[in-house]
Amino acid sequence: MAGFKNVTMPRMERLPAAGKMNSLSSQPQKKFFPEMISRRNIRVKVMQELYAKQSGGSETGKSDPVADLQKQLDHSSQLLNYLLYFLTEVARYAETDSRIRLSKNLPTHEDRNVNIKISGNEMLWKILESESFKKATGKSLEFSDTRDMVKKVYNELAGTDEYLRYINKMGRDKKEEKDIIVFIFTNLMLPSDYFVQHVEEHFVNWDDDAEMMDQLMMNYLNRPGSYDLQQMVGEEKWKFAKTLLLTAIEKMEYATELIKPKLKNWDADRIAALDMILMQMGVCELLYFETIPPKVTINEYIDLAKDYSTPQSGQFVNGILDSIHKELVAEQKIHKIDFRQKA
């Protein structure tokens, strides 16, 4: 095949400009990372924790809800790190494939000319050279079947038209370098039944976190090496998560009292459990989160109801929360600050 036969080596770190060397070396610069996780992600995790507690999944009354939530977020972080690690291993497997084929007793012409262009992929090396990634993968993330699964996904990649176009094109185009890495994740890993089964066997939180993982992985791939994989949830988002969880638990009865009169012909006990949890969380945000605009709160819980509950849930939650919001405004019980600037 035409194309690259050698792996691009890691690039040297860029040195600071002359005159700045002393100040940089004497005063370590603190690196600030963008937030990986969104408030929507936080709301989903809080919803799942509340649902688990109401279903008896967290031994209600015996466990610390904040500790349970932290544990769930830790599991999400471990899953994210594994997905990212697996993706890089698929891209790097071209080298392994080349070595294996060259070691045959009678290697063919194709065996001697395995194209390993992807092993020097620029996006791949941005990830591999990231200090955060190195720390996240410092301890082995592999399971007994990881290598076999990497090989399987790589072999599938090697047979795609997208991969053949990539390796046979001379030079490195920034967009094409990114596109082939994203292609592995979105077209070979996520849609694959055998890969999903592999992940499910090792991460019990896959079903709960699949949507969030898709979002977080794409965020990372859009800015490779820019996120802190050791701190998926920043201080501000963690404060929001804890406050929302504890407020929803503490104010659950009061929120339910506001919801019940709006149900009309509906029996509160027959409403979908997730709908009730989402409405309780929404009421708490309307009342106790003064910097979040009411419109943002209502729209967020409409979307969550559509995505996680029944087909009719979005419209149902919208009607209830909008009615409660109007009533609370009329009674001057909602006090928001600075939300026009923060929206």
Side-chain angles (χ1 to χ4, degrees):
M1 291 182 181
F4 288 70
K5 301 297 187 295
N6 297 311
V7 179
T8 300
M9 297 303 293
R11 291 160 294 283
M12 295 179 64
E13 293 184 4
R14 186 177 300 168
L15 295 175
K20 295 185 178 181
M21 183 74 75
N22 292 335
S23 61
L24 285 173
S25 59
S26 61
Q27 294 182 343
Q29 301 296 303
K30 184 176 180 181
K31 185 172 183 179
F32 293 93
F33 294 94
E35 291 268 13
M36 282 203 74
I37 200 167
S38 68
R39 280 190 172 180
R40 173 188 166 88
N41 299 142
I42 292 294
R43 290 183 179 98
V44 170
K45 298 307 292 183
V46 170
M47 174 195 75
Q48 290 168 345
E49 180 60 27
L50 291 171
Y51 182 79
K53 294 191 80 65
Q54 290 188 19
S55 303
S58 295
E59 295 186 0
T60 307
K62 296 182 180 180
S63 60
D64 178 355
V66 173
D68 288 342
L69 180 61
Q70 179 65 72
K71 187 183 299 183
Q72 295 305 315
L73 289 168
D74 288 343
H75 290 164
S76 298
S77 180
Q78 292 163 12
L79 174 55
L80 175 65
N81 290 342
Y82 181 74
L83 292 174
L84 188 58
Y85 172 75
F86 188 97
L87 173 59
T88 62
E89 288 300 295
V90 171
R92 299 181 76 181
Y93 193 82
E95 291 179 290
T96 302
D97 184 46
S98 177
R99 287 195 299 269
I100 292 172
R101 294 174 68 172
L102 278 172
S103 67
K104 292 180 179 179
N105 289 331
L106 294 172
T108 65
H109 174 76
E110 288 76 16
D111 292 333
R112 295 191 188 95
N113 291 276
V114 174
N115 192 307
I116 57 174
K117 175 182 177 180
I118 195 169
S119 294
N121 182 282
E122 292 179 350
M123 170 177 273
L124 170 66
W125 280 99
K126 279 187 179 180
I127 298 171
L128 296 176
E129 292 177 333
S130 162
E131 290 301 320
S132 178
F133 178 81
K134 291 177 183 178
K135 290 178 182 177
T137 57
K139 295 182 180 179
S140 177
L141 297 181
E142 294 195 2
F143 302 101
S144 60
D145 56 343
T146 296
R147 301 316 301 171
D148 289 340
M149 192 59 56
V150 166
K151 178 180 178 181
K152 192 170 186 177
V153 175
Y154 168 78
N155 286 336
E156 188 173 344
L157 169 68
T160 62
D161 292 338
E162 287 81 0
Y163 184 69
L164 293 176
R165 283 195 297 268
Y166 170 77
I167 62 175
N168 284 304
K169 183 173 181 178
M170 296 298 294
R172 293 191 182 277
D173 176 81
K174 185 176 181 180
K175 181 177 183 300
E176 291 171 355
E177 293 288 272
K178 174 184 175 182
D179 287 349
I180 194 65
I181 299 297
V182 172
F183 176 78
I184 296 171
F185 178 66
T186 59
N187 291 64
L188 300 179
M189 290 169 58
L190 285 186
S192 167
D193 290 339
Y194 61 80
F195 177 74
V196 169
Q197 182 179 352
H198 163 73
V199 176
E200 286 176 335
E201 289 175 356
H202 299 292
F203 295 92
V204 295
N205 53 314
W206 171 255
D207 283 343
D208 288 340
D209 286 354
E211 180 195 359
M212 182 171 74
M213 290 300 112
D214 186 5
Q215 176 190 332
L216 295 183
M217 283 288 289
M218 293 308 300
N219 287 347
Y220 188 92
L221 295 177
N222 283 327
R223 301 180 66 178
S226 299
Y227 293 96
D228 185 357
L229 295 172
Q230 282 69 55
Q231 191 176 24
M232 188 175 75
V233 183
E235 184 177 336
E236 181 183 346
K237 293 290 183 5
W238 176 235
K239 180 180 178 181
F240 173 66
K242 288 192 297 183
T243 305
L244 180 58
L245 175 63
L246 293 176
T247 303
I249 292 173
E250 180 183 344
K251 302 296 183 179
M252 183 180 297
E253 290 186 10
Y254 178 56
T256 304
E257 289 176 9
L258 295 176
I259 293 168
K260 281 185 175 180
K262 309 299 180 185
L263 299 179
K264 297 181 180 178
N265 297 326
W266 288 86
D267 182 349
D269 293 331
R270 299 185 64 183
I271 292 174
L274 279 180
D275 286 356
M276 182 59 78
I277 288 171
L278 290 170
M279 289 188 292
Q280 290 165 343
M281 290 171 63
V283 169
C284 288
E285 272 196 33
L286 289 172
L287 284 169
Y288 306 113
F289 289 74
E290 56 189 10
T291 62
I292 302 179
K295 183 177 180 180
V296 170
T297 291
I298 293 172
N299 286 340
E300 284 286 347
Y301 287 102
I302 291 171
D303 288 343
L304 291 178
K306 288 178 182 176
D307 292 340
Y308 289 91
S309 194
T310 69
Q312 298 78 29
S313 292
Q315 184 176 357
F316 177 64
V317 168
N318 179 24
I320 300 298
L321 288 182
D322 185 60
S323 177
I324 292 173
H325 172 242
K326 290 176 180 176
E327 181 178 285
L328 293 174
V329 168
E331 296 174 357
Q332 298 186 342
K333 291 182 178 179
I334 288 185
H335 307 284
K336 298 286 182 177
I337 61 172
D338 293 336
F339 66 85
R340 289 182 179 85
Q341 289 79 11
K342 292 177 179 290

